[in-house]
Amino acid sequence: MAADLERLRQEICRREEELSELKQRLADMEKKSVEDASDGTEPKTIHNGNQKLTNDQIGRYSRQLILPELGVKGQVKLLSSKVLIVGAGGLGCPAAIYLAAAGVGKIGIVDYDEVEISNLHRQILHTEHRVGVSKAESVAISCRNLNSSLNFITHKVQLSSDNAMSIIRDYDIVLDATDNVATRYLLNDACVLAGKPLVSGSALRFEGQLTVYNHKGGPCYRCLYPKPPPPETVTNCSDGGVLGVVPGIIGCYQALEAIKIAADIGTPLNQRLMLFDAIDCTTRTIKLRGRQVLCPVCGDNPSMTQLIDYEQFCGARATDKDQEKKVLPASSRMTAKEYQTLLENGIEHVLLDVRLPVEMEICHLPHPALNIPINTVKKDPSALVEQIKRQLASSGIPLDTSPVVVVCRRGNDSQLAVQLLHDSNLNIRDIRGGLHAWARDVDSLFPVY
Amino acid sequence: MDRVKVKLLFFAKSREIVGKKEADFEFASCTTSVSILEKLIEEYPELSVIAENVVLSLNEEYLELDNQELTLQAGDELAIIPPISGG
Ligand SMILES: [Zn+2]
């Protein structure tokens, strides 16, 4: 049954890709036949008295063509413009679909990653049966379904110092729809070196930020933030959470800014930073300082004339995926299976869960737990040690023999907690890999978030 | 020295660290941006980890970090804006 389901999913996926390819071929041939016709005796565009747009294009874009600000002139510019979207996620999806709808002639999508089920609440161009498919490809398929007349290029690579310049070179405008600090500095520097405007969006929890860097005398990312933040102060969507519509709104704004720049209309958001707060539905726009003459990359005498090692510069990997930390020695850790044995043997212990209460509500281990979030542990570890000792004493259990077991979602915060509570006389260990390991190695029905 | 009540607005990581979006805070009306940042960190020492990674704005205008004299008015809005990197 499960194998049948999987087979069917793969089949749907395969055919969808096939269909997408056929549509691209059809679009290419249609385009070619129009071009061929205009070389011959009966140009398809002659009847509308407009040499610049085909009848199909006039029909499709009519509702925006009649905007005086855009008009035929603006639409022609859009059709001949080339926009690169870096990141096919929560920001990239809405941005891509609106750029495709508006008729941006060439749309490039960079993403090395594959679709996961936990992406779908915000990465709205992917689908359930495309789980496991390339995100860049998935975005291209969805956009092609909306507008097959455009040219979609997928770059299924991780943007790096080695490939960034050659990828960006072919485009006029770049959208930063990435999810990590290192790639943001890389993209900024590459856009400055290549002389391209960078429409930057970001989102976390209920907040979004939007600006246009390196455009019309405005600053670049480094002009505002010369130093990368300490890695431990950076929260990603996986740990901090994000309401899907928030990157959705910011991604739409990114498409809007890119369209304005491409069509050369309106006032772009250069040298201004828009802050969006979804929980109160407020926006603020901050007037920024201009390009800094002393900026190492966009200044008058830049010290950086080529791309550097951004993971080293930021002290963090160029991904938003959580890395497994190794803080504790093996002797201070136990496996999920070992904890299962401890439970089965009925060994008295204190279970300390250092996740947030909201996470406890999602799922928790079968043994009653003391729930103290890691940030509370950090504030006053010695008070917690006393609390644990009292709890052990009230159960009449000797301190040194009975274990204190610390658990969290992935086994990173639990290590920090063990370290913080270390100087006591407690026999304290954490569960390696946290609840993810519990679900993987002990209880396959345990939910994973 | 005159003191004035200013509204602090915390965004992104600073909001997470401080645990609130807004706060009232008294500054000397005649001050500098460097001194403003110092006073902020005195009041909220946990902000020191991101002190070098924030944009400050006063009444929605970028606040250059320097020792130039500046005059605060009661009701001014001072925003602390670290970058968000997620998406
Ligand atoms: Zn710069």
Side-chain angles (χ1 to χ4, degrees), chain A residues 91 178-180 184 202-203 205 207 209 225 227-230 233-235 277 279-280 284-287 289, chain B residues 9 11-13 15-16 21 49-50 52-55 57 60-62 64 77 79 81-87:
Chain A
L91 299 161
T178 63
D179 56 17
N180 67 84
R184 285 181 185 272
S202 59
R205 300 198 172 101
E207 284 184 81
Q209 297 182 348
Y225 304 105
K227 286 189 183 169
T233 69
V234 177
T235 311
D277 191 346
I279 204 107
D280 296 332
R284 273 169 208 276
T285 305
I286 310 293
K287 177 148 182 354
R289 61 172 168 183
Chain B
L9 302 171
F11 291 92
K13 191 69 188 182
R15 181 178 291 185
E16 183 187 324
K21 306 167 84 149
V49 286
I50 56 164
E52 292 189 307
N53 318 101
V54 296
V55 159
S57 77
E60 307 197 342
E61 286 228 20
Y62 186 93
E64 206 68 59
E77 286 188 336
I81 312 165
I84 294 176
S85 55

Side-chain angles (χ1 to χ4, degrees), chain A residues 362-417:
Chain A
I362 298 172
C363 57
H364 52 77
L365 289 173
H367 188 273
L370 188 62
N371 180 209
I372 313 283
I374 185 67
N375 281 337
T376 314
V377 178
K378 279 181 192 163
K379 272 181 196 140
D380 196 353
S382 50
L384 180 55
V385 168
E386 289 313 308
Q387 188 181 346
I388 292 169
K389 282 180 178 168
R390 275 199 304 276
Q391 185 163 341
L392 287 167
S394 70
S395 321
I397 318 169
L399 279 186
D400 48 342
T401 53
S402 61
V404 177
V405 180
V406 187
V407 71
C408 67
R409 184 177 173 196
R410 296 191 179 87
N412 285 341
D413 285 345
S414 58
Q415 294 187 70
L416 295 181

